[in-house]
Amino acid sequence: MGVTSDDAVLIEKGKKAGDPYVITVNCPDKTGLACDICHTILEFGLYITRGDISTDGIWCYIVLWVIPHSSSCVVRWMNLKERLLSICPPSIPSFYLNQPSPRASSSPVYLLKFCSRDRRGLLHDVTRVLDELEHAIQKVKVTTTPDGCVVDLFFIKDNLELLHTKARQDETCERLYTVLGESCISCELQLAGPQYNNLHGISSLSPLVAEELFRFTLSDKEPRSQALSPDVTELKKASVKTDNSLSPVHTLLQINCVDHKGFLYDIMRTLKDCNIQIAYGRFLPVNKGSRDLDLFIQHKGGKKIVDPEKQDALCSRLKLELLHPLRVLITNRGPDTELLVANPTELSGRGRPRVFYDVTFALKNLGICIFLAEIGRHSAADREWEVYRFLLDENCNYQLSSTVVRNQIVDKVRRTLMGW
């Protein structure tokens, strides 16, 4: 516990319109700090154009150049600074000051329950409101009644930690009423009860679906329901190499891969889960659609990686996470058509930001309504996955039983998730 200086995080606006904002983090170091920073930046809808990381194992200095992923993205820069400050380790030990550490307690989970008449894009519009209000979606249960009404249960946390106040609750419901208009029938907010714990799992997946969704590699040669389109297949190449000849104490990790949304986060979360520390890193701008990243790394104990098997294991793991950070699949669920999206969680249990937002956005643009949606966890391949399940409404302009149409939907959803 301790106190973090406000100067630990600086955010500077670009000198002219269109220039990136520059985020500088200057604070004590900890394993996984870069991952936590990249997670937060991705959560705020920002794209990292380039970056530099430097640390001596005690103090860390990170500079990132960022821009919004889309022109419609509203970034609350002061809120972003507060979130980044809460991530930084304290620079002043708390035993010198009689003051608690910021965000020492976990934010409670609230249940947002609302009922409205169904329409295309409804779920994404609600998700967008929650995102703009900085409510983090933990779980979702969405059902459509036979009379065309939608009953949505959103289990959320307030990143501003103000949802216990009536003003913040009223603001949330009023924003939803404004966006949904006359279609909104009711809106209620309360602390989540036992039903939240009952929603951590998801309804069972068939063995065949689970095998396809969570397999270690995706074959581009088979006619699979999550097969890659030809142009995307061409892009799905990655080079991950190690070199121990340039430094007596660090291993150089060189990465070249097609750019995608969350590229730096995928690398940092993998290194964090593998207990790898970064001494120095440089993240270069996009060159012909690809990214180059050089990192000087060590084991958490301060030694370079010299074991060839450990080098190969790290390179293979990074390549897998870069090529397939998200899995997208369409299958049958009884008589219905189901879209599944899965991403591995961090060892800490934290999931990937904005997945639900991006999937509902893609389906809204396709004009496809969601009949039922849920978020849960599934254990497979010795790791935990966050799984998003969407039953698609057959009443749309697509023949959902068509293999061609299904591949088009998978491709659209994947491109949205990857920022292509």
Side-chain angles (χ1 to χ4, degrees):
M1 294 178 66
V3 177
T4 302
S5 168
D6 283 348
D7 293 337
V9 176
L10 298 176
I11 300 179
E12 300 175 83
K13 186 178 180 180
K15 294 181 179 179
K16 57 186 179 188
D19 282 358
Y21 280 69
V22 182
I23 299 175
T24 304
V25 180
N26 186 15
C27 69
D29 195 18
K30 67 174 182 178
T31 301
L33 177 61
C35 171
D36 297 342
I37 291 172
C38 291
H39 183 280
T40 300
I41 288 174
L42 183 59
E43 187 178 348
F44 271 74
L46 294 170
Y47 169 77
I48 301 173
T49 62
R50 62 188 180 105
D52 285 294
I53 301 173
S54 180
T55 177
D56 58 4
I58 300 174
W59 203 267
C60 185
Y61 187 75
I62 299 175
V63 184
L64 300 172
W65 287 258
V66 303
I67 58 174
H69 268 293
S70 68
S71 57
S72 61
C73 180
V74 178
V75 181
R76 293 174 171 81
W77 296 100
M78 287 304 299
N79 292 356
L80 173 60
K81 179 176 179 176
E82 290 298 322
R83 289 283 300 282
L84 291 174
L85 283 170
S86 72
I87 293 169
C88 297
S91 54
I92 305 174
S94 61
F95 52 76
Y96 290 120
L97 296 170
N98 185 21
Q99 185 174 348
S101 175
R103 298 183 183 272
S105 60
S106 177
S107 178
V109 177
Y110 284 80
L111 169 60
L112 170 64
K113 179 181 179 180
F114 70 91
C115 180
S116 68
R117 284 181 286 276
D118 196 14
R119 62 172 173 78
R120 290 180 183 175
L122 171 67
L123 195 53
H124 176 71
D125 292 343
V126 174
T127 304
R128 178 169 54 82
V129 170
L130 296 179
D131 177 74
E132 291 173 353
L133 290 170
E134 295 192 53
H135 293 318
I137 299 172
Q138 307 298 304
K139 303 290 175 186
V140 172
K141 189 74 173 181
V142 177
T143 54
T144 304
T145 63
D147 60 355
C149 287
V150 175
V151 179
D152 290 353
L153 303 179
F154 279 82
F155 293 87
I156 60 176
K157 285 185 176 182
D158 185 8
N159 289 328
L160 302 184
E161 298 187 354
L162 295 173
L163 206 47
H164 62 281
T165 65
K166 185 177 185 301
R168 181 70 163 158
Q169 293 182 13
D170 289 345
E171 178 190 21
T172 300
C173 288
E174 287 170 5
R175 286 287 300 276
L176 286 170
Y177 277 120
T178 300
V179 170
L180 301 181
E182 296 181 355
S183 64
C184 189
I185 299 171
S186 64
C187 178
E188 303 173 13
L189 254 173
Q190 63 188 55
L191 276 170
Q195 68 268 50
Y196 173 68
N197 295 324
N198 296 334
L199 285 177
H200 275 288
I202 58 173
S203 48
S204 61
L205 298 169
S206 73
L208 288 176
V209 170
E211 179 186 1
E212 180 169 354
L213 194 61
F214 304 119
R215 62 170 52 207
F216 283 106
T217 59
L218 300 178
S219 172
D220 302 328
K221 297 180 181 179
E222 301 176 38
R224 309 180 59 79
S225 49
Q226 57 175 333
L228 305 175
S229 59
D231 59 329
V232 175
T233 302
E234 182 64 25
L235 291 173
K236 299 296 274 187
K237 298 176 181 177
S239 172
V240 183
K241 300 176 182 178
T242 57
D243 187 341
N244 278 315
S245 65
L246 298 178
S247 170
V249 293
H250 299 103
T251 296
L252 173 61
L253 181 66
Q254 295 179 301
I255 299 172
N256 175 269
C257 183
V258 63
D259 189 31
H260 67 259
K261 186 187 296 184
F263 173 84
L264 197 56
Y265 166 68
D266 288 323
I267 294 170
M268 296 304 166
R269 67 176 171 84
T270 303
L271 296 179
K272 179 183 179 181
D273 287 350
C274 294
N275 281 322
I276 299 294
Q277 292 179 319
I278 301 171
Y280 173 78
R282 173 154 290 179
F283 180 50
L284 300 177
V286 174
N287 181 21
K288 297 180 180 179
S290 293
R291 287 285 194 183
D292 287 298
L293 179 64
D294 291 335
L295 297 172
F296 285 90
I297 61 174
Q298 292 178 322
H299 283 298
K300 191 175 181 181
K303 296 182 179 180
K304 64 194 303 184
I305 305 169
V306 295
D307 187 334
E309 290 187 2
K310 291 182 178 179
Q311 291 179 16
D312 291 343
L314 178 61
C315 291
S316 297
R317 173 75 180 274
L318 281 166
K319 186 176 290 188
L320 175 66
E321 299 299 339
L322 288 171
L323 294 183
H324 305 296
L326 296 132
R327 310 298 175 87
V328 185
L329 173 70
I330 280 192
T331 186
N332 294 324
R333 185 174 175 183
D336 299 312
T337 301
E338 182 175 44
L339 171 70
L340 295 112
V341 177
N343 60 266
T345 65
E346 299 174 26
L347 286 181
S348 64
R350 183 172 60 183
R352 190 183 190 88
R354 296 177 72 86
V355 174
F356 195 79
Y357 181 98
D358 285 340
V359 175
T360 55
F361 180 68
L363 294 176
K364 178 181 179 179
N365 285 341
L366 287 169
I368 297 175
C369 284
I370 299 167
F371 182 76
L372 184 146
E374 60 179 334
I375 306 174
R377 298 293 174 98
H378 184 89
S379 295
D382 297 324
R383 63 195 311 186
E384 187 176 57
W385 298 75
E386 197 163 44
V387 181
Y388 301 77
R389 306 184 70 169
F390 303 87
L391 284 187
L392 306 183
D393 193 334
E394 301 286 343
N395 296 320
C396 61
N397 296 326
Y398 298 93
Q399 185 63 40
L400 296 181
S401 59
S402 165
T403 301
V404 173
V405 168
R406 290 188 171 195
N407 286 339
Q408 289 174 347
I409 295 173
V410 166
D411 192 56
K412 174 66 174 178
V413 171
R414 181 185 287 112
R415 287 176 180 276
T416 303
L417 287 165
M418 301 293 278
W420 292 336

